[in-house]
Amino acid sequence: MLDEFYTILQNVGEKLQCNCFSIIQCQHPESDGKRYFSLQSSAEFPDRASMMEVRLQAQEDEITLLKSSLADALRRIRLHDQLLPLLKQQLIAVCGHTVFTPGKLISVLRCSRGRRNSEKLGNPERQRKRLDKKAASSANLLTQMSIKMFIRGRPITMYIPTNIHNYEDLKMEPPSERLELDWVYGYRGRDCRANLYFLPTGEAVYFIACVVVLYHINNRTQRHYQKHTDCVRCLTLHPDKVRMASGQMSGVDKDGKPLQPCVHIWDSITLVTLQQIGLGTFQRGVGLVAFSFADSGAFLCVIDESNEHMLSVWDCNKGTKHAEVKNTNEAVFAVEFNPSESANIITCGKSHVYFWTLSAGQFTKKQGIFGKYKKPKFIQCFVFSLTGDVLTGDSEGNILTWGKSAADVKTLGKGAKETFQIMKQTRAHEGSVFTLCSLQGGSLLSGGGKDRKIVRWSADLAPERECEIPEKYGAVRTIADVDGEELLVGTTRNAILRGTFSDGFVAIVQGHVDEMWGLATHPSQSIFITCGHDRQVCLWNAEEHKLDWCITLEVGHTHPALNSFHSGLTVVSESTDGNEQLSVMRYSPDGSFLAVGSHDNFIYIYNVTESGRRYTRFGKCNGHSSFITHLDWSKDGKYIMSNSGDYEILYWDIAAGCKLLRNRFESKDREWASYTCVLGFHVMGVWMEGSDGTDINALCRSHSERVVAVADDFCKVHLFQYPCPKPKAPSHKYEGHGSHVTNVCFTHSDSHLLSMGGKDTCILQWRVMGGGGGDRRERLASATSTSTSTSSPEPATS
């Protein structure tokens, strides 16, 4: 019985060993040597539990690894799906003339997949290596089809279009087209004085931005002096009525290096620079210039924009400095030589009139004494009467007559010299007297600020005639005499008026009065429209060089609104979306949709019906993480490409309900009706090395798709060939603006390019010269030369 029991226990024990038990053999004390067995627990339970925990953790790690492998496999599958068209192209290229149909290509892939599956069953490690190798090959292929540019360290991937077979061999050259300045719109009257003159040639001379304009008021033609490198701030006419002197602010050269301000003396007939005065001498800029009269203009007086407003006298023929002295820390508004004595100079400005005498290279100064008369805050202007007296206009609206008088020995002490005191005060205007203009025969003209009046005075300051200019043109800034009857009037709202007291005045030059950003050209006519921070919307005629109409909006800075105009005078539609400013808008090619980019990161799409009179919301593009800066429609009107403030390029399927296209690779061959986006493969080369993302404000491709114009932050307009997909592409550079260039646009026929300055409130119209011979597709197809041009020629200024 015991043997049988032992056998059963032995069999059970062998089965229970796997369950942490063991059979222990022992001898019973009363068994006479017979064997007895007892069943007891083996090793301690805590050790067994620890072993189970370790094994469980190992299993969890294995599961995690399997999940990671599965995710990697899914990612690679998605990558292969995206690369399937590329692999097809690669197979076609490798096989030479053999063309795989879609069916044959799928069969090949299936066979290959079957072999990989068999290898996988036979050798998992080999299958993993092959998969990694395939993924690396696919990644390399994708890299070959894209290129990266970096802005502020952020990589931006650009996908190379299919029609570019060898990106490295693309040859970048400056375009054959060039620009020539054709017309300048605007005048700087808002913050400058004495900057309008009339020449015997029939031309009015004035300045805006970096250009001095010579405008023939009867023939309505313009010539331009373009040698200044930054904003012109002052202008004066030589006694010979031919030579001019103009002073500028500090500027930068074509490489961005700072330039010192200077004065140019130039011939108004030939536009040739005769002398460059004070290069490297003046600080910040040149504020005022004046020729001497008594010696036929042998000397030039200059006041710079330094804290001390340094007063200096220069020899015009030699270009050398004759004398220099610190003027005052207060603002200076006018300077002139005494017409009968070149050693005497007068300056005026904030709360002062100074009478300077130059002797042996040294200046002495006498201050005008106001005595019993109220001292005005500003002395705005002055002229000399025929009797030699000085007439000043001030901020109190008075004309003060100054003259020499014997020194008051009781007040000033023994040995005191003669003084300059007020002899007469004449009430002239309500508000400031901004300008005084002497006429032949001794008559005087005065221009008012607040009352906008022009008053004609007799030689003894008796009022003879007066008129008031329209309010929309602002106050009178300066007056130029044409023939004793006809006048030219520069205003504080950047307009030049022409007229007489009898017939009134009409504007012959107009412009914006605040920073400008909006610019658009008509699709079939030579007209364009502009808008700016002054809330003015202006329509210009590019052929006749005139303003057709202008309307001031009541909205603008308070809340964002979309307005549609009819005939330029009536708002026929108004829509409001979001609570941020609107930054860009563009119609679809057929005009049925309008896309509006906002600073709230959205693009709003509107249906346009009733010939542009009705706008209804179609949808909203949501996906950008920063404000919208630029956008363009595809040629079929179904897609939009957009840029944002964080240098993002996104594509949208408008026809599918404003859907974001997440695979940007699919848009690499899409044709665009316009190209104004500053980020994109076709314009990648317009960015300078080290750009911070804000250096380019706008660009525009020509309708011929041959060139692209660029507006940058350094007052330059560039002309590149299009497409321009390689870094450091060469360009033609053009100067003229004195502020960041905010926008550029070609006219409908590509005959002209329009560029818009920001703070300089200037619109420049450039004539496009040269060009012709092939389009961009032909250039891409023949771009096989490995040599590249890196020079950036500076075109000669006209």
Tab-separated table of all heavy atoms in Angstrom, residues 479-507:
chain	number	residue	atom	x	y	z
A	479	ILE	N	4.881	129.366	-50.352
A	479	ILE	CA	4.337	130.027	-51.539
A	479	ILE	C	5.483	130.338	-52.494
A	479	ILE	O	6.552	130.790	-52.070
A	479	ILE	CB	3.606	131.336	-51.174
A	479	ILE	CG1	2.454	131.055	-50.197
A	479	ILE	CG2	3.073	132.028	-52.420
A	479	ILE	CD1	1.792	132.317	-49.675
A	480	ALA	N	5.263	130.066	-53.790
A	480	ALA	CA	6.229	130.434	-54.834
A	480	ALA	C	5.530	131.309	-55.857
A	480	ALA	O	4.417	131.001	-56.316
A	480	ALA	CB	6.796	129.183	-55.499
A	481	ASP	N	6.165	132.422	-56.205
A	481	ASP	CA	5.605	133.366	-57.175
A	481	ASP	C	5.924	132.893	-58.593
A	481	ASP	O	7.074	132.577	-58.916
A	481	ASP	CB	6.203	134.749	-56.920
A	481	ASP	CG	5.701	135.778	-57.924
A	481	ASP	OD1	4.581	135.609	-58.432
A	481	ASP	OD2	6.452	136.737	-58.200
A	482	VAL	N	4.907	132.833	-59.456
A	482	VAL	CA	5.098	132.448	-60.851
A	482	VAL	C	5.335	133.677	-61.725
A	482	VAL	O	6.356	133.778	-62.424
A	482	VAL	CB	3.895	131.633	-61.370
A	482	VAL	CG1	4.057	131.322	-62.849
A	482	VAL	CG2	3.754	130.340	-60.575
A	483	ASP	N	4.388	134.627	-61.718
A	483	ASP	CA	4.525	135.811	-62.580
A	483	ASP	C	3.988	137.070	-61.924
A	483	ASP	O	3.673	138.045	-62.606
A	483	ASP	CB	3.822	135.584	-63.923
A	483	ASP	CG	2.355	135.224	-63.759
A	483	ASP	OD1	1.834	135.333	-62.620
A	483	ASP	OD2	1.717	134.849	-64.753
A	484	GLY	N	3.890	137.081	-60.622
A	484	GLY	CA	3.325	138.232	-59.929
A	484	GLY	C	1.845	138.104	-59.673
A	484	GLY	O	1.316	138.697	-58.734
A	485	GLU	N	1.149	137.343	-60.508
A	485	GLU	CA	-0.281	137.097	-60.326
A	485	GLU	C	-0.542	135.637	-59.973
A	485	GLU	O	-1.235	135.333	-59.003
A	485	GLU	CB	-1.054	137.487	-61.586
A	485	GLU	CG	-1.097	138.982	-61.853
A	485	GLU	CD	-1.901	139.723	-60.783
A	485	GLU	OE1	-2.860	139.126	-60.243
A	485	GLU	OE2	-1.572	140.885	-60.506
A	486	GLU	N	0.024	134.757	-60.788
A	486	GLU	CA	-0.178	133.330	-60.548
A	486	GLU	C	0.780	132.851	-59.460
A	486	GLU	O	1.951	133.235	-59.415
A	486	GLU	CB	0.033	132.536	-61.835
A	486	GLU	CG	-0.379	131.082	-61.717
A	486	GLU	CD	-0.296	130.353	-63.054
A	486	GLU	OE1	0.449	130.830	-63.941
A	486	GLU	OE2	-0.969	129.330	-63.209
A	487	LEU	N	0.269	131.944	-58.610
A	487	LEU	CA	1.048	131.459	-57.476
A	487	LEU	C	1.042	129.935	-57.443
A	487	LEU	O	0.120	129.282	-57.950
A	487	LEU	CB	0.463	131.974	-56.155
A	487	LEU	CG	0.303	133.488	-55.993
A	487	LEU	CD1	-0.391	133.793	-54.670
A	487	LEU	CD2	1.655	134.179	-56.072
A	488	LEU	N	2.088	129.386	-56.847
A	488	LEU	CA	2.129	127.976	-56.470
A	488	LEU	C	2.139	127.916	-54.949
A	488	LEU	O	2.904	128.644	-54.302
A	488	LEU	CB	3.375	127.288	-57.030
A	488	LEU	CG	3.501	127.232	-58.548
A	488	LEU	CD1	4.818	126.560	-58.941
A	488	LEU	CD2	2.324	126.493	-59.172
A	489	VAL	N	1.302	127.053	-54.388
A	489	VAL	CA	1.153	126.974	-52.937
A	489	VAL	C	1.359	125.526	-52.493
A	489	VAL	O	0.633	124.631	-52.934
A	489	VAL	CB	-0.245	127.462	-52.486
A	489	VAL	CG1	-0.364	127.381	-50.961
A	489	VAL	CG2	-0.499	128.876	-52.983
A	490	GLY	N	2.356	125.316	-51.642
A	490	GLY	CA	2.538	124.013	-51.020
A	490	GLY	C	1.784	123.964	-49.711
A	490	GLY	O	1.791	124.936	-48.934
A	491	THR	N	1.100	122.834	-49.437
A	491	THR	CA	0.242	122.746	-48.253
A	491	THR	C	0.738	121.674	-47.291
A	491	THR	O	1.560	120.819	-47.639
A	491	THR	CB	-1.211	122.428	-48.644
A	491	THR	OG1	-1.325	121.043	-49.020
A	491	THR	CG2	-1.655	123.301	-49.802
A	492	THR	N	0.191	121.716	-46.091
A	492	THR	CA	0.593	120.766	-45.045
A	492	THR	C	0.015	119.380	-45.274
A	492	THR	O	0.432	118.432	-44.602
A	492	THR	CB	0.143	121.278	-43.675
A	492	THR	OG1	-1.280	121.491	-43.687
A	492	THR	CG2	0.831	122.588	-43.333
A	493	ARG	N	-0.923	119.229	-46.181
A	493	ARG	CA	-1.455	117.906	-46.520
A	493	ARG	C	-0.885	117.423	-47.847
A	493	ARG	O	-1.544	116.740	-48.625
A	493	ARG	CB	-2.990	117.915	-46.544
A	493	ARG	CG	-3.605	118.054	-45.147
A	493	ARG	CD	-5.102	117.875	-45.140
A	493	ARG	NE	-5.504	116.539	-45.558
A	493	ARG	CZ	-5.539	115.467	-44.762
A	493	ARG	NH1	-5.168	115.587	-43.491
A	493	ARG	NH2	-5.927	114.303	-45.226
A	494	ASN	N	0.363	117.793	-48.083
A	494	ASN	CA	1.154	117.247	-49.196
A	494	ASN	C	0.533	117.487	-50.569
A	494	ASN	O	0.529	116.595	-51.417
A	494	ASN	CB	1.394	115.756	-48.981
A	494	ASN	CG	2.274	115.476	-47.777
A	494	ASN	OD1	2.875	116.390	-47.216
A	494	ASN	ND2	2.359	114.226	-47.371
A	495	ALA	N	0.029	118.705	-50.764
A	495	ALA	CA	-0.511	119.079	-52.073
A	495	ALA	C	0.172	120.352	-52.548
A	495	ALA	O	0.633	121.164	-51.743
A	495	ALA	CB	-2.027	119.288	-51.998
A	496	ILE	N	0.261	120.514	-53.873
A	496	ILE	CA	0.721	121.757	-54.478
A	496	ILE	C	-0.433	122.308	-55.303
A	496	ILE	O	-0.977	121.621	-56.176
A	496	ILE	CB	1.959	121.537	-55.362
A	496	ILE	CG1	3.135	121.041	-54.502
A	496	ILE	CG2	2.341	122.821	-56.075
A	496	ILE	CD1	4.401	120.758	-55.304
A	497	LEU	N	-0.820	123.556	-54.997
A	497	LEU	CA	-1.938	124.197	-55.672
A	497	LEU	C	-1.416	125.256	-56.633
A	497	LEU	O	-0.371	125.872	-56.407
A	497	LEU	CB	-2.881	124.849	-54.653
A	497	LEU	CG	-3.298	124.004	-53.447
A	497	LEU	CD1	-4.234	124.798	-52.549
A	497	LEU	CD2	-3.960	122.707	-53.887
A	498	ARG	N	-2.175	125.473	-57.684
A	498	ARG	CA	-1.844	126.505	-58.678
A	498	ARG	C	-3.065	127.373	-58.877
A	498	ARG	O	-4.186	126.871	-59.015
A	498	ARG	CB	-1.444	125.846	-59.997
A	498	ARG	CG	-1.110	126.832	-61.110
A	498	ARG	CD	-0.880	126.108	-62.423
A	498	ARG	NE	-0.520	127.038	-63.498
A	498	ARG	CZ	-0.353	126.678	-64.773
A	498	ARG	NH1	-0.515	125.403	-65.129
A	498	ARG	NH2	-0.019	127.573	-65.670
A	499	GLY	N	-2.854	128.713	-58.884
A	499	GLY	CA	-3.993	129.578	-59.099
A	499	GLY	C	-3.691	131.032	-58.827
A	499	GLY	O	-2.534	131.444	-58.666
A	500	THR	N	-4.755	131.807	-58.785
A	500	THR	CA	-4.664	133.242	-58.532
A	500	THR	C	-5.725	133.636	-57.514
A	500	THR	O	-6.650	132.861	-57.203
A	500	THR	CB	-4.893	134.044	-59.831
A	500	THR	OG1	-6.236	133.826	-60.283
A	500	THR	CG2	-3.916	133.619	-60.918
A	501	PHE	N	-5.626	134.876	-57.024
A	501	PHE	CA	-6.631	135.373	-56.101
A	501	PHE	C	-7.993	135.450	-56.776
A	501	PHE	O	-9.028	135.241	-56.139
A	501	PHE	CB	-6.225	136.758	-55.576
A	501	PHE	CG	-5.146	136.723	-54.535
A	501	PHE	CD1	-3.821	136.929	-54.884
A	501	PHE	CD2	-5.458	136.500	-53.205
A	501	PHE	CE1	-2.833	136.902	-53.922
A	501	PHE	CE2	-4.477	136.465	-52.239
A	501	PHE	CZ	-3.146	136.668	-52.588
A	502	SER	N	-8.002	135.745	-58.062
A	502	SER	CA	-9.274	135.914	-58.774
A	502	SER	C	-9.937	134.584	-59.090
A	502	SER	O	-11.153	134.418	-58.917
A	502	SER	CB	-9.039	136.704	-60.075
A	502	SER	OG	-8.467	137.955	-59.808
A	503	ASP	N	-9.165	133.641	-59.583
A	503	ASP	CA	-9.726	132.379	-60.074
A	503	ASP	C	-9.719	131.258	-59.048
A	503	ASP	O	-10.291	130.190	-59.298
A	503	ASP	CB	-8.966	131.930	-61.323
A	503	ASP	CG	-9.034	132.948	-62.439
A	503	ASP	OD1	-10.048	133.674	-62.514
A	503	ASP	OD2	-8.070	133.032	-63.228
A	504	GLY	N	-9.048	131.452	-57.949
A	504	GLY	CA	-8.960	130.386	-56.972
A	504	GLY	C	-7.816	129.430	-57.297
A	504	GLY	O	-7.013	129.671	-58.213
A	505	PHE	N	-7.766	128.327	-56.565
A	505	PHE	CA	-6.640	127.418	-56.683
A	505	PHE	C	-7.115	125.982	-56.914
A	505	PHE	O	-8.139	125.553	-56.364
A	505	PHE	CB	-5.787	127.461	-55.412
A	505	PHE	CG	-5.072	128.764	-55.221
A	505	PHE	CD1	-5.704	129.839	-54.606
A	505	PHE	CD2	-3.775	128.939	-55.674
A	505	PHE	CE1	-5.052	131.044	-54.443
A	505	PHE	CE2	-3.107	130.137	-55.512
A	505	PHE	CZ	-3.751	131.198	-54.895
A	506	VAL	N	-6.361	125.258	-57.768
A	506	VAL	CA	-6.617	123.843	-58.029
A	506	VAL	C	-5.332	123.066	-57.757
A	506	VAL	O	-4.227	123.606	-57.872
A	506	VAL	CB	-7.083	123.599	-59.482
A	506	VAL	CG1	-8.415	124.282	-59.734
A	506	VAL	CG2	-6.028	124.099	-60.462
A	507	ALA	N	-5.500	121.806	-57.405
A	507	ALA	CA	-4.341	120.974	-57.071
A	507	ALA	C	-3.690	120.445	-58.344
A	507	ALA	O	-4.371	119.905	-59.225
A	507	ALA	CB	-4.760	119.814	-56.180
